[in-house]
Each structure stands twice: as structure tokens, then as C-alpha cells.
Amino acid sequence: MDRDIKCWDMSTLECCWTLPSLGGFAYSLAFSPVDTGCLAIGVGDGMIRVWNTLSLKNNYDVKSFWQGVKSKVTALCWHPTKEGCLAFGTDDGKVGLYDTYSSKPPQISSTYHKKTVYTLAWGPPLPPVSLGEGDRPSLTLYSCGGEGIVLQHNPWKLSGEAFDINKLIKDTNSTKYKLPVHTEISWKADGKIMALGNEDGSIEIFQVPNLKLICTIQQHHKLVNTISWHHEHGSQPDLSYLVASGSNSAVIYVHHLKTAVEGNLESPITITEPYRTLSGHTGKITSLAWSPHHDGRLVSASYDGTAQVWDTLQEEPLCNFRGHRGRLLCVAWSPLDPDCIYSGADDFCVYKWLVSMQVHSRPPQGKKSIELDKKRLTQLKAKPKKKKQPPTRVLVKQEAPSGNEEMRKESPGPVENGFSDADGEADAGEPKVPCSLESAASTEPVVYSPASLGFERSKAIINNKITLPKKESPKEKPALLKKRKARSMLPLSTSLDHKSKEELHQDCLVLATAKHSKELHEDVAAALEGRYHLGLFTNRATLYKMMELEGKGHLENGHPELFHQLMLWKGDLKGVLQTAAERGELTDSLVAMAPVAGYHVWLWAVEAFAKQLCFQDQYVKAASHLLSIHKVYEAVELLKANHFYREAIAIAKARLRPEDPILKDLYLSWGAVLEKDGHYAMAAKCYLGAACTYDAAKVLAKKGDAASLRTAAELAAIVGEEELSASLALRCAQELLLARNWVGAQEALQLHESLKGQRLVFCLLELLSKHLEERQLFESTSSSLYHAWTTEPKGPFSERVAAVWRSAFGLDTPEQYQAVFQKLQSIKYPSATNNTPSKQLLLQVSHDLTLAVLSQQVASWEEAVKALLRAVLRSYESGNFAIMQELYSAFLPEGCDPLRAKLGDPHSPGMAAFASLEAFLAYGRLYEFWWSLSRPYSEPSVWVSVDHSRKVVECSLQVDDASPEEAEPRASGQPELSRPPALGLKLTEESERVLGTCRELVSEQRASLQSSQRTVAEVQETLAEMIRQHQKSQLCKPTVNGPDSSESAQKAENPLSGPQGQSSKEDETKPVSLPELTKRLTEANERMAQFPESIKAWPFPDVLECCVVLHHIDTQHPGCVAPEMKQQAQELLQKYGKAEVYKRYCRACT
């Protein structure tokens, strides 16, 4: 158990020498500043070694300390003035103090780090420790943990709470942003300056007493592993301002901070240039140490498997040590010998080596150099014996990891010798492999001091020829099944009663003398003191002494429960509880016996046991014990802090008042966590438990599917959130609408009477969709679920809609129609575009058509015209010509004349909207007529009749470079402009009537207005492009010698493009200035102001587009278009057709 290798003289049965070994990686080295020969070693086997390097009798005078550690020792630091005071940090975040001259267990700080302790340092006390009343420590202990915070521990009151110095840094420097994650702390020797290394590679320098930030070093780009200040007893005082730092990169930087420290600057400065740069390592830097005997001499440890000595003032490498067979983790310069350095690595070894004896001056180049050395070493194996070895697990030696792997601060630990840090150190306790404190002999001529830990002659034997324990034979296995004898409570006194006969006789004589002598002589007292096992037969004081010694033996052997039983035999229950609490060994049985010692002792024991259970992650059990002493709030808070919300709520509901605010807080906290994790139904329950009904409905609807939305709407209706319920029900109906589930959508809308208007809209949309499916203009699916009213007898569409409303929704009176109209009129939809989905377009069109039908039912014909026009405009703006034509055929099957008669007064306000509606009807009929002429046919139609008696020999006129897309960009499926000679055609009366109504489409006034509107739009687009180009040129200015900066500026000044995004060649070469654009915009606005508002209020089909269509009709069938209409169309094209596409038509016409 002590990990010592002993050599015995079999003739005298005396130990010749003892060689200590390590059972884990050597993480930390620290020389005592008071007892300068004492080297403390932090090892991954959960023990601290203190090596007296000055011992003359024994080169391996090593003491081991393990009590209270229980984890890997990752950091060590001696007290600067107090002898024997050693601070240690562990892998599980524990910080403690050992008195190496005492056998007492260590003092453990009550504040743990959440992760591994990286670094420990002693420094002056800072507020609030320095502001306390009474005696204060001259130095306090600082620890930096893996979670990125630095804690200040009061060594006089480790049981108190440690202080996070981030609070002081924020208050002093008025820092509002989040502080970086700290990875290293180092104090200057005078205690006035503190350096903090951070995860982002920066180093911050602070000044006491309030940690004022004086400068920041932005040099490293990776996590800072080590920071070291130069000593202050050099020949040059300025050298004490040198600070060396190493990070996950392989470069070491040295900075001179005298100017920053003594400059008394008002604000902190940033340093980006190093004083010296030390390059050569190929792996991460893990440790740095200045020589206390030289000026500017530094030693570094690296993951490349070597330690390097540098002359930092000259930036020169002096020597390189390559004796380790793993990655170096720590290094320390001997405080007594200028030529001696100690280093530790993950090869379970600590080396003592001399600088002057090294043959290499710089680290090996290349990442694979140390790996090649290891391969060479692994080949130096002893010849195997001929005798067959039993099958056992053999350690596989791996190559050294490269320097770019994760460091100990980023991973559980390095991997070496076939197992990882965690696995290897756990297995190190087995007797199969004695891992010494020094490594195997290297093939290179590395010279070691005779005082190194180990014997050099046996190195190769120990590391290359390993004797493994034999496995138990199968015959011995049944013996293990025998019942083990109970462990003795008094093993020491029992062993003393099994001595030689002479010793036993002497015990009887001493006992008799002690029992029957009135006064004990000095020789009898001395004899009794050495024979403490006689306490069973003498007085109580001797018995207590015997039990104390027996108890210490149980503790040393790792059996605290036996020690507790001995203390109970003495009747010291309170002492048992205190000892168990300090060691973290309280049990349920001990706590159950605590009431015997008193009520207050029981309370204290339960609290201590609950704290111990928390450290063991048994939070529910800890809460149960807190409940046993009526600490309900503490138990609930403990469970909440560790995310046991269900248990916390159960306790709070059972033990607290229903109106207690902590119950609502629990519900809200749990609900927030569940909502974040996507458990919306459970989160809704929590919000309902907290009486936050609105939040419950909102979170339930967060998933967005129809079932969730309907449930959320019903929940909101139950709790009285009517407005929210209505909005959710409408969303549910819209989701069902996407799936063509018309019945489900109506059922969802039935949840609220306020959605009756939407029910009418959905009803009309269902009828319209069915109508479009029958006309094969809408894709039909088998999954569509329609109502029965869609199959009712056919008739005019608006009458069918009104009949369904009366039968299904009970709309009979004008008052009902008017009320629904008012609700729907307040709902506004955005304008449609070419990207509007067809289902969304139909819903918006149905909304407008619903308003139109409602207006018809109350004889409000002006509102009906406006609503119908809005529906037509949506179809027109989205480019859906088929829907626009179906709207006319469904709602205006006889044209606009009946509607004109309903309006009556030709000067009424609704006539402007009616004129626009009539124009779009003529626009659609015009296109239908043109397409009928362009299709091949042999049968008469509503537009033309066929004359088979004669043939037309004229060919249609082809327009140069004109395409159907240019002629009509909105309509789809346009015919070709040229066609072979066709049969003789004759226009029908319907065609002549349509062409007659097209006179309104070639209006001079409308063409002028649309030309002005196009001019305004073009100028605005040009100005916007100029602004974009100017902003782009401003962004390009900081670029030095930017190749495109002049071009961008020139383009920003002259970005003019022609009308509709296509400029002519003259416009491309002729730049237009900003005043010219402003003039054009002003003139266009003045022209538009001259038009009456009735004309500008509603859109109108593009006049020039209609002129182009008339031109195509006349080209394909000369004589169809009246000469005066043809002449007017040509004049409008020549006057207002500024775009290139229109100019080509003008040239074709002339």
C-alpha cells in the first residue's frame, strides 16, 4: 500500500534500502521556500510525496500523505513563510492545507471547485477578507479551477465560504461584460501585482488592493497553461518585471511590464508585442520555472516530451533534456544547486537532472521525433525465458502523443503505457507493475545525478522485464467461497498477546505490580506505557489510550467504521459524529444514533450528513434528511437547484401552504426547462399549476400542428382567454385548410361565435375550390373532405353562396349580414405578388368575395363593387389569369351591365371602382379573343366562324425581335406570333362587341397617368441604386490599394439604368446627375397631380400592353381592329412607349 520497493538482507532480515515509486502521473512539483530541500510532488494516485532532497543518510527520504485527498493531486503550493504548510488541489475540485510536520489530517476548504484545480498561489488578502475586523491572515490562498473562476480562501477559516475574486474585479473596474474563463493565476513576488491567464489566450494584469486592471496581454491565441514571474533578487532590479507565459501553442512569450506597472496610467493598456519570444518546442507548454540563481534563465516543460533551458535575454536555447518517456507536466529548478532541475511527466516518473550534462541544446524537430525514440526504447527488451508464462494481461506501450493533443486542462488526462490517466492510476495500486519515480534509461547519453529517485543499474530491468503475479489456479477458487472471518476490533492488542512466552510472562509481572502497588514507580509506569494492550486489565485511562491507538490503526488501514465503533464504546458519540463529518464518512446508522447526544447534536449531524450526501450527488436523500429536521424550504431549494423539480413540487405541495410563492416559482422554473427541451404538454401543465393560463395555452400551441392548436384553443376558452382562443382556433382552421379538411376547419371555427365571419369565408372558399376542381383549374385530391352543401343544385355562384349561408349558418336578416360585414371589413391582407402561394391567394380572394356577397345581400352595391374589384386585383397582381377569368364568369356571367344598373347614378363614388372592374373584364376578354385567333382551328367558335370556300394567302406580319413574353409579361401560355396561312375567318358579333369595349382600354388619359407613374418608379429605383452604390463605396474606402474602389465610386455617381431595368445604348453612355433625376421626379409628380382622384384611386390595366395585343390581333387577322382604334393604339405606343420592347413595336408599325 505504501508503494515502496524494499531490498532485504536475508541473513540479518534487515532492510538494505527503500525505493519509493509513483502510482500515477506527476502533475505538480513545488520546493518549500522555508525548508529549501523539501520537494513536494503531486501524484495522480491520490497521494502527496514530500522528498527531502538534502538527506545524507537516505537519498530517497520520502514521506507520503494521503489522508483527506481521495483524488488526483493536480496542484501544490508551499506557504512562503510558514514552515511545513503545504496547500494542495485535487482533480475533484477540493482545496486543502497539510501540515507536513504533523500526523493530523488536512484542513479542507468548505468551498469546492466544480472541476479540476489548475493552480494554487499564496497572495495578499483582498476584500472582503482584508476588510474584516480583528486579526487577519497576512497571506491568503488562491485557487483556479477548471470551471474558470478564482477563489480566495482564508487559511484561518477554511470552513467559511471562499470568495470569488471576479466580483471584486467587476466592482473595481466597472465591468459590464462577461469576464473571461480563467485558467492560471500567478502573483508577483512583492505581492502587489497579480496575473490571470484566460482560456482565450489573454493575460490580465491587476494591481492590489482592489484588483485594478492595468494592462492586458493579447499574445497567445490558445488557452494559457502557465505564468511565471522573474525572481526579485537578480543583479538587475528591472528583471523582476519579466513575466513568462506558455499556452496550448508551442511558443513561450516573455513580457517586460515595468512601464505598465509603474506608469500610473488612467486606463488599462493592451500589449500585443512580446519582449522576448522563445520558439523550439513542438508541443504544448505545461510548466515554466525561472532559475533562482541566474538572471533571465528559464526552464520549460512541454508535451513534446522534453524540458528546455533558455537564456531569455539572448533568446537562445541552452540545453534540452530528453530522459522522459512521456509528456512533461511539471518542472522545478533546484533552489540550492544552480545546475540541478527536477521534472515530472505522465510516465509515472520524476527526474533529477543536470544542465551541464545534457548533449542537446534544443528540442527535437518534428512532431514524430519523440515517438521514434519511444519505438526504439520499446525494442530494447530482455530475452524471454523459455518457460511458458501464464496468460496474463500485459501492458502495451504506446507512442508518445503528439504535441497537438488535448492538454490536461481540456481532457481527463493524457494516455501513456497502454492506459489512460484515470485507468492507469487506478490500476497502479495493483502489485503487478512497480512504477518507479524515474524512467527507464534512454538510449541517448543523458546523465543523471546519483541522488535521482531510483537506482540506475536496475532501470532497464524494472521497465523492460516486468515480473507479473501468477493467477490463481482453478483449484484455489473454491477456497474464496469460504466465509471470511470477521475483522477484529482490537487487532493491535490481539497481536501483542501472541508474542513469545517470555514477553507474556513479563506482561503478567508488570500487570501484577501495577494492580497491587499503592504508588506506581517510574519504571512500572514506563513499562505500562509500552504495553498499552494491558489497558484491558488496568484503569480506564490506560484503556482509553489503548482504544485511541487502535482507532488510529483502523483509520490508517482504511476502516473508519471500526474506529467509529471504538469511539462509541467510549461513549463519545459527539466526537464520533464530528470526526466522521470532517472525513466525510457519516452514515445512516451514525445519524440515527445522534439524538442520544442531544437535540442540537442531532440537528447538526443531519445537516452535516445532508451536505455530505450532496457531495456524493445523492440530492433526494439529502432533501429527505433535511425534511426530518423540518427544513422544508432548504430541501425544496436543494432539489430545485439540482433539477429535481418533480420531487421538489411534491414536497412543497405536501408541506407548504397552497399560496406559498415558492410553489409558483417551482412550476415556472420547471415549465421553462420543459419548454426549452420541447416537452410542451408537460410545460403547459406546469404553467396551469402556476395559474399562468395564458402561458399554458401559448406553449401548448408552440408545436404548430392542428391537434395542438385545437387543444390550446379549447384550453384558452376554458380559462377565459377569449381573444387568444379565437386566434388559436383560426390558426387551427388554417392548418386544416392546408390539408383540405374543410369539415375539420369548420369544426375548429365553431369554438367561437366571434369567428362566424371566418366561417363564411371558409364556406365560400370551399365552394370556390369545388367549382375550380370541376372546371379542372384546381388539382383535386382524394384526401379532400367536403361538406354536403357543395353538391347542392347548381345555379349562379353568388346565389348558391347565399343559400348555403342561410341554411347552414342561419343568416337571414340584413342586420346579421351587416354585423358580419363589419367584423370582416376590419381584417386586412397584404397585396398579392407572383410568389404568393395559390392556397393563400384563394383564401384572400375568398375574403374579398365574402365581403362582396354580404354587400349584395344588404344592397350596398358600391361596397360590393369595391370588394369584387379587390378580389380581381389580387388575381391580376399574382399573375393568375385563370382565377381572374373564373371570378368574372362566376360573379358576372352577363358582364358588368347588370351591375351598372344596380349602381344607378353615373356620378356616384362607386363608379370609379366600377370603371376599373369593367376595364379588367375587357382586358381578360381581349386576351381570350387573341388566343382564339392564334390557336389552330377548323371548327367555328364563339369568337370566329370558318369559311372553307376560300383561302387566305396573306401571311401574318412578323415583328422583328418581338416575343410573346415581351408583349405580355403577365399572362402565361401565349401563342406564337407567326402562323402559317389559315382558312378564311369571320368575326362573330361577340368578337365585334369585345373589340368595341376595348376602346376604353386605349385611353389617352390612362396612358398618360401610367407613364407618369412609371417615371416616378424608375427614378425612385435609380435613386435607391445610387444610395446602395454609395454605401458600397464607403465600405471599400478603408481597403488599401483596393482594385475596385474607384470603379465603385464612379458607379455610385452614375448608376442610371433605362426604364423597366433596361436602358438604351444612349442612356448607357450618357450619365444622369442627381439634379436631373430630381427634375424628372418633380415633373412626373406635377403631371400626376393634374389627374382627378377618381382616376388615381383604383388600378387600371396597362394601356400600352393592350395596344400591343391589339397590334398582334391586327397582324394575325387584318381588318379585325377598327382603323381609328388601331391608329390610336399606334399613337399611344409612339408617345408613351419609352421601353425598348415598345419601341420595336413602334418601328414595326411604321
Side-chain angles (χ1 to χ4, degrees):
M1 294 299 292
D2 56 4
R3 303 191 188 280
D4 289 342
I5 302 172
K6 294 182 179 292
C7 179
W8 298 86
D9 187 342
M10 300 305 295
S11 60
T12 61
L13 296 180
E14 293 180 357
C15 181
C16 302
W17 47 262
T18 301
L19 175 66
S21 66
L22 305 182
F25 301 167
Y27 284 111
S28 179
L29 297 175
F31 272 101
S32 172
V34 180
D35 189 357
T36 52
C38 287
L39 174 64
I41 307 171
V43 189
D45 58 3
M47 300 174 66
I48 302 172
R49 273 75 166 185
V50 177
W51 180 12
N52 184 8
T53 60
L54 301 181
S55 177
L56 300 178
K57 296 181 181 180
N58 182 10
N59 287 337
Y60 312 109
D61 183 7
V62 176
K63 293 182 180 180
S64 299
F65 300 90
W66 55 269
Q67 294 186 14
V69 179
K70 300 181 181 180
S71 183
K72 304 171 189 177
V73 181
T74 56
L76 294 172
C77 187
W78 291 91
H79 195 284
T81 57
K82 187 177 180 181
E83 188 175 9
C85 182
L86 176 63
F88 68 92
T90 65
D91 181 63
D92 58 1
K94 188 188 304 179
V95 176
L97 288 178
Y98 245 115
D99 185 0
T100 59
Y101 292 101
S102 171
S103 60
K104 296 181 180 180
Q107 304 178 51
I108 305 298
S109 174
S110 62
T111 305
Y112 279 39
H113 284 280
K114 295 180 180 179
K115 295 185 180 180
T116 304
V117 178
Y118 290 171
T119 313
L120 295 173
W122 291 92
L126 300 172
V129 177
S130 61
L131 301 178
E133 298 180 357
D135 295 335
R136 297 187 299 272
S138 59
L139 293 173
T140 54
L141 180 62
Y142 296 85
S143 61
C144 180
E147 71 276 19
I149 65 173
V150 177
L151 298 177
Q152 178 186 203
H153 306 267
N154 187 347
W156 291 1
K157 297 179 181 179
L158 284 179
S159 60
E161 185 178 358
F163 174 69
D164 185 357
I165 68 170
N166 278 349
K167 300 177 182 177
L168 180 60
I169 294 175
K170 283 188 174 182
D171 295 339
T172 301
N173 300 282
S174 300
T175 305
K176 297 181 180 179
Y177 55 85
K178 182 181 179 182
L179 294 180
V181 175
H182 305 310
T183 58
E184 180 70 359
I185 180 174
S186 180
W187 281 92
K188 197 171 180 290
D190 57 5
K192 297 180 180 180
I193 302 296
M194 181 185 70
L196 288 181
N198 301 319
E199 190 181 42
D200 58 3
S202 64
I203 300 175
E204 297 172 309
I205 309 299
F206 298 91
Q207 193 173 36
V208 296
N210 295 322
L211 296 186
K212 177 184 178 183
L213 179 64
I214 58 177
C215 74
T216 302
I217 301 174
Q218 296 285 356
Q219 204 70 55
H220 297 282
H221 301 289
K222 295 184 179 180
L223 182 145
V224 177
N225 291 317
T226 177
I227 300 174
S228 181
W229 291 88
H230 195 281
H231 57 81
E232 298 200 348
H233 50 271
S235 60
Q236 304 177 33
D238 290 352
L239 294 180
S240 64
Y241 293 97
L242 292 182
V243 59
S245 58
S247 68
N248 281 0
S249 60
V251 182
I252 302 168
Y253 294 107
V254 181
H255 293 83
H256 200 302
L257 303 181
K258 181 178 180 181
T259 304
V261 173
E262 297 182 354
N264 295 326
L265 302 174
E266 295 182 358
S267 59
I269 62 174
T270 301
I271 299 176
T272 58
E273 294 296 329
Y275 177 70
R276 294 289 186 268
T277 302
L278 308 177
S279 302
H281 280 297
T282 58
K284 304 175 183 179
I285 309 301
T286 56
S287 182
L288 298 172
W290 292 95
S291 169
H293 314 284
H294 308 84
D295 287 344
R297 188 162 296 184
L298 182 71
V299 62
S300 58
S302 172
Y303 258 35
D304 61 12
T306 68
Q308 177 68 37
V309 179
W310 309 84
D311 183 349
T312 58
L313 301 181
Q314 301 298 326
E315 288 187 316
E316 293 180 357
L318 299 180
C319 76
N320 183 255
F321 173 70
R322 304 184 183 181
H324 283 284
R325 301 177 64 188
R327 298 175 289 188
L328 271 68
L329 302 178
C330 53
V331 68
W333 209 300
S334 172
L336 300 175
D337 187 355
D339 198 39
C340 180
I341 295 177
Y342 295 79
S343 58
D346 63 0
D347 56 1
F348 292 55
C349 297
V350 172
Y351 274 75
K352 174 184 178 182
W353 48 278
L354 303 179
V355 176
S356 59
M357 302 301 291
Q358 308 307 311
V359 298
H360 298 281
S361 62
R362 61 176 60 250
Q365 299 300 314
K367 296 181 180 178
K368 295 186 178 180
S369 57
I370 189 66
E371 300 177 4
L372 296 176
D373 290 343
K374 283 196 170 186
K375 288 182 179 179
R376 188 166 57 252
L377 287 174
T378 55
Q379 295 173 359
L380 299 177
K381 296 182 178 179
K383 294 182 180 179
K385 293 183 179 180
K386 294 182 180 179
K387 185 177 179 180
K388 188 176 180 181
Q389 295 285 342
T392 57
R393 188 180 66 171
V394 180
L395 300 179
V396 180
K397 297 184 178 181
Q398 295 182 349
E399 300 175 4
S402 66
N404 292 328
E405 289 183 77
E406 296 297 323
M407 282 199 58
R408 62 180 175 87
K409 295 183 181 180
E410 299 177 356
S411 63
V415 176
E416 180 62 16
N417 295 335
F419 43 79
S420 67
D421 189 358
D423 299 334
E425 293 173 6
D427 296 341
E430 302 177 6
K432 59 187 177 185
V433 183
C435 299
S436 65
L437 271 77
E438 98 279 355
S439 176
S442 175
T443 57
E444 301 170 354
V446 181
V447 179
Y448 308 95
S449 168
S452 79
L453 291 179
F455 50 99
E456 284 73 9
R457 296 182 181 179
S458 305
K459 287 176 186 173
I461 298 174
I462 290 176
N463 288 273
N464 294 327
K465 184 179 179 183
I466 298 173
T467 303
L468 299 173
K470 296 182 179 180
K471 286 189 175 180
E472 295 176 352
S473 61
K475 296 181 180 179
E476 297 175 355
K477 289 184 179 179
L480 298 176
L481 301 177
K482 292 182 180 180
K483 186 176 181 180
R484 296 183 60 183
K485 186 179 179 181
R487 191 179 300 276
S488 174
M489 289 291 298
L490 303 171
L492 298 179
S493 58
T494 302
S495 63
L496 291 177
D497 286 333
H498 290 79
K499 296 188 296 184
S500 63
K501 185 184 295 184
E502 291 79 9
E503 289 289 336
L504 293 177
H505 291 170
Q506 187 63 31
D507 288 346
C508 293
L509 295 176
V510 172
L511 180 58
T513 304
K515 294 287 287 184
H516 295 279
S517 297
K518 295 182 179 180
E519 294 182 3
L520 292 179
H521 299 286
E522 293 182 1
D523 53 347
V524 178
L528 280 176
E529 186 176 357
R531 291 173 169 82
Y532 57 86
H533 59 291
L534 297 178
L536 286 173
F537 312 100
T538 57
N539 54 21
R540 181 177 292 181
T542 310
L543 177 65
Y544 280 178
K545 183 177 180 181
M546 181 195 75
M547 297 178 72
E548 182 180 354
L549 293 174
E550 292 282 3
K552 288 183 178 179
H554 288 314
L555 290 177
E556 291 175 357
N557 292 326
H559 302 291
E561 69 280 357
L562 301 181
F563 168 74
H564 298 157
Q565 292 185 39
L566 285 177
M567 297 289 287
L568 287 175
W569 290 359
K570 289 173 60 177
D572 188 9
L573 179 58
K574 185 176 181 180
V576 172
L577 294 172
Q578 289 178 345
T579 304
E582 291 174 359
R583 298 172 58 84
E585 296 166 351
L586 283 172
T587 61
D588 293 279
S589 59
L590 285 177
V591 176
M593 289 186 287
V596 178
Y599 177 74
H600 295 288
V601 174
W602 172 61
L603 292 179
W604 171 85
V606 172
E607 290 182 359
F609 189 40
K611 186 175 182 181
Q612 176 184 315
L613 291 173
C614 290
F615 288 135
Q616 298 170 357
D617 295 336
Q618 301 184 45
Y619 302 107
V620 177
K621 186 176 180 181
S624 299
H625 279 275
L626 289 175
L627 289 175
S628 67
I629 57 175
H630 306 291
K631 293 202 171 186
V632 181
Y633 287 102
E634 290 80 354
V636 171
E637 188 62 32
L638 173 64
L639 293 173
K640 175 189 172 185
N642 293 281
H643 305 289
F644 289 91
Y645 293 103
R646 192 183 298 272
E647 293 79 0
I649 291 174
I651 293 174
K653 290 284 283 187
R655 299 289 293 271
L656 299 177
R657 293 176 291 107
E659 62 272 11
D660 198 304
I662 194 173
L663 192 58
K664 182 176 181 179
D665 181 63
L666 283 172
Y667 281 127
L668 293 179
S669 301
W670 192 18
V673 173
L674 291 170
E675 182 178 355
K676 183 179 179 181
D677 294 339
H679 305 297
Y680 300 127
M682 194 64 195
K685 295 179 185 178
C686 293
Y687 290 137
L688 287 174
C692 297
T693 55
Y694 185 88
D695 295 331
K698 291 287 288 184
V699 73
L700 198 57
K702 217 169 185 181
K703 195 171 184 180
D705 61 303
S708 299
L709 291 170
R710 183 182 179 95
T711 306
E714 293 177 355
L715 189 151
I718 292 173
V719 299
E721 297 287 348
E722 297 296 335
E723 184 176 352
L724 176 62
S725 177
S727 64
L728 293 175
L730 181 58
R731 284 181 55 191
C732 175
Q734 291 173 348
E735 288 293 325
L736 293 170
L737 184 63
L738 296 177
R740 310 299 299 277
N741 186 355
W742 304 99
V743 176
Q746 287 290 346
E747 291 176 352
L749 294 175
Q750 284 178 358
L751 295 174
H752 283 276
E753 184 64 25
S754 60
L755 297 177
K756 191 170 185 178
Q758 294 295 337
R759 294 186 65 191
L760 301 182
V761 175
F762 277 56
C763 173
L764 189 145
L765 176 59
E766 183 178 356
L767 293 171
L768 180 61
S769 300
K770 187 68 173 178
H771 175 75
L772 294 177
E773 284 185 7
E774 293 172 353
R775 298 292 299 272
Q776 297 182 353
L777 296 176
F778 201 75
E779 182 181 359
S780 61
T781 58
S782 59
S783 60
S784 300
L785 186 59
Y786 287 102
H787 285 90
W789 62 57
T790 58
T791 59
E792 292 181 359
K794 304 300 180 183
F797 190 82
S798 58
E799 295 181 4
R800 288 179 56 199
V801 172
V804 172
W805 286 356
R806 283 191 296 270
S807 62
F809 304 103
L811 290 181
D812 292 325
T813 63
E815 291 77 12
Q816 291 178 326
Y817 286 114
Q818 189 64 34
V820 176
F821 179 84
Q822 295 297 332
K823 288 183 179 181
L824 290 179
Q825 196 176 27
S826 61
I827 301 175
K828 303 296 182 183
Y829 287 107
S831 300
T833 63
N834 290 333
N835 298 323
T836 303
S838 59
K839 293 183 179 180
Q840 182 179 349
L841 175 65
L842 283 177
L843 177 61
Q844 297 175 3
V845 167
S846 298
H847 181 271
D848 294 327
L849 295 178
T850 302
L851 292 175
V853 176
L854 289 172
S855 301
Q856 290 179 9
Q857 298 302 313
V858 295
S860 179
W861 298 105
E862 291 185 2
E863 294 295 335
V865 169
K866 293 178 182 178
L868 185 59
L869 177 59
R870 284 194 294 268
V872 171
L873 287 177
R874 290 188 190 277
S875 306
Y876 173 76
E877 291 169 353
S878 65
N880 204 320
F881 186 83
I883 292 181
M884 184 179 74
Q885 290 302 97
E886 284 301 319
L887 294 182
Y888 276 115
S889 63
F891 285 86
L892 297 175
E894 300 177 0
C896 294
D897 293 336
L899 195 58
R900 187 197 307 272
K902 297 288 185 180
L903 287 175
D905 186 7
H907 302 289
S908 64
M911 289 303 296
F914 176 80
S916 179
L917 182 64
E918 189 177 27
F920 277 103
L921 174 61
Y923 171 81
R925 293 290 183 88
L926 177 63
Y927 264 102
E928 287 184 350
F929 173 64
W930 175 36
W931 291 342
S932 67
L933 294 178
S934 302
R935 286 193 297 268
Y937 43 79
S938 60
E939 297 291 336
S941 68
V942 70
W943 304 105
V944 294
S945 59
V946 183
D947 185 3
H948 295 275
S949 62
R950 65 183 183 90
K951 292 187 178 179
V952 180
V953 296
E954 299 93 347
C955 296
S956 60
L957 177 64
Q958 298 185 7
V959 182
D960 296 338
D961 301 329
S963 64
E965 289 80 2
E966 292 174 338
E968 211 304 84
R970 294 186 181 272
S972 59
Q974 296 166 347
E976 296 292 335
L977 294 182
S978 60
R979 51 192 293 272
L983 298 172
L985 302 178
K986 182 179 180 181
L987 296 181
T988 63
E989 294 181 0
E990 177 66 19
S991 300
E992 293 177 354
R993 190 178 66 81
V994 168
L995 290 177
T997 58
C998 291
R999 296 181 184 276
E1000 297 295 331
L1001 296 179
V1002 289
S1003 168
E1004 169 78 20
Q1005 188 180 30
R1006 297 283 185 176
S1008 177
L1009 174 62
Q1010 292 177 357
S1011 176
S1012 300
Q1013 291 173 341
R1014 278 194 292 269
T1015 302
V1016 172
E1018 292 164 6
V1019 173
Q1020 289 176 345
E1021 182 180 354
T1022 304
L1023 290 174
E1025 181 63 24
M1026 292 177 66
I1027 294 173
R1028 285 194 294 270
Q1029 293 292 340
H1030 177 71
Q1031 292 175 344
K1032 183 177 179 181
S1033 65
Q1034 291 297 320
L1035 293 175
C1036 295
K1037 279 186 177 180
T1039 306
V1040 180
N1041 297 328
D1044 300 331
S1045 60
S1046 61
E1047 296 181 11
S1048 300
Q1050 184 176 0
K1051 290 180 180 179
E1053 293 177 0
N1054 305 316
L1056 180 66
S1057 60
Q1060 298 182 358
Q1062 298 180 357
S1063 62
S1064 63
K1065 295 181 180 180
E1066 294 81 8
D1067 291 339
E1068 291 178 358
T1069 58
K1070 182 179 179 181
V1072 179
S1073 62
L1074 182 61
E1076 178 65 23
L1077 291 175
T1078 306
K1079 180 180 178 182
R1080 293 183 184 180
L1081 183 62
T1082 304
E1083 292 175 352
N1085 287 329
E1086 290 177 353
R1087 289 195 301 270
M1088 290 175 59
Q1090 296 175 359
F1091 293 97
E1093 292 297 330
S1094 59
I1095 295 180
K1096 295 185 291 184
W1098 296 97
F1100 195 85
D1102 192 339
V1103 175
L1104 297 183
E1105 178 185 340
C1106 296
C1107 293
V1108 171
V1109 175
L1110 289 173
H1111 170 74
H1112 281 296
I1113 293 174
D1114 184 69
T1115 302
Q1116 293 174 294
H1117 191 73
C1120 288
V1121 182
E1124 60 274 12
M1125 186 184 302
K1126 175 181 177 182
Q1127 181 65 27
Q1128 186 177 1
Q1130 292 178 356
E1131 291 176 356
L1132 292 178
L1133 283 173
Q1134 293 174 356
K1135 184 175 181 180
Y1136 299 106
K1138 298 179 182 179
E1140 183 64 25
V1141 59
Y1142 294 128
K1143 290 182 179 180
R1144 285 197 293 267
Y1145 280 106
C1146 294
R1147 289 194 296 269
C1149 293
T1150 56

